[in-house]
Amino acid sequence: QNNIFNLNELKFKSKKRKLKYYNMNSSKLTSKDLGSEKLFFDVKELLPGQLSYPYHFHSDNEEVFIILEGEATLRQNNKKRKVKKGDLIFFPNRLKGAHQLFNHTDQMVRYLDLTTNFGNDICCYPDSKKINAGSGNIFKIEDKVDYFAGEEEKPKFWK
């Protein structure tokens, strides 16, 4: 198994999202190609005028972006700042690490997204008030219920 790859030789594929502001390319190289179990990574190309992902933070996993090419505007913890080639940005888990990139330029932005991959990370989206419990299980926070909701009676199993 090859564990050395040159970032300048990566091949990319379109995410082909049918949304106006969330289109990007993703490298064909994956963490599995390197045999990684505890780290997730992806090299991404953020196209002009596009947002990376909905504004979000993780419950357990930490994340790092390394800007490889171009310049973008980073929204982190509801503050804006410009990031550029060579910048390494760390996002702690929890609300203080909420983040999103916007390519405000007319040039493509390429960055490495490196994330720890431990346990059952929950992704929270403050703008749209959703949570992603993994495996495509996305819920509106307003649907939150009490821990014992639906548990008021003894289960039929015990009757």
Side-chain angles (χ1 to χ4, degrees), residues 12 24-25 43-48 50 66-73 83-85 101-111:
F12 289 84
M24 69 167 52
N25 298 325
V43 178
K44 297 177 178 165
E45 292 179 333
L46 186 57
L47 306 174
Q50 299 295 298
I66 300 172
I67 308 300
L68 303 171
E69 289 180 39
E71 178 181 285
T73 301
V83 294
K84 64 185 183 317
K85 180 179 178 176
L101 281 179
F102 173 63
N103 184 347
H104 65 274
T105 74
D106 60 0
Q107 303 292 314
M108 182 267 305
V109 175
R110 184 175 288 175
Y111 67 101

Side-chain angles (χ1 to χ4, degrees), residues 137-152:
N137 295 308
I138 300 171
F139 305 94
K140 294 293 277 182
I141 292 172
E142 66 195 33
D143 294 333
K144 178 181 172 183
V145 297
D146 181 78
Y147 179 77
F148 287 103
E151 307 293 339
E152 292 82 1

Side-chain angles (χ1 to χ4, degrees), residues 98-146:
H99 60 278
Q100 180 180 50
L101 281 179
F102 173 63
N103 184 347
H104 65 274
T105 74
D106 60 0
Q107 303 292 314
M108 182 267 305
V109 175
R110 184 175 288 175
Y111 67 101
L112 171 65
D113 180 351
L114 181 64
T115 308
T116 56
N117 188 16
F118 298 112
N120 296 318
D121 185 55
I122 305 295
C123 198
C124 300
Y125 304 88
D127 290 346
S128 55
K129 298 181 178 34
K130 297 181 303 204
I131 61 167
N132 182 344
S135 302
N137 295 308
I138 300 171
F139 305 94
K140 294 293 277 182
I141 292 172
E142 66 195 33
D143 294 333
K144 178 181 172 183
V145 297
D146 181 78

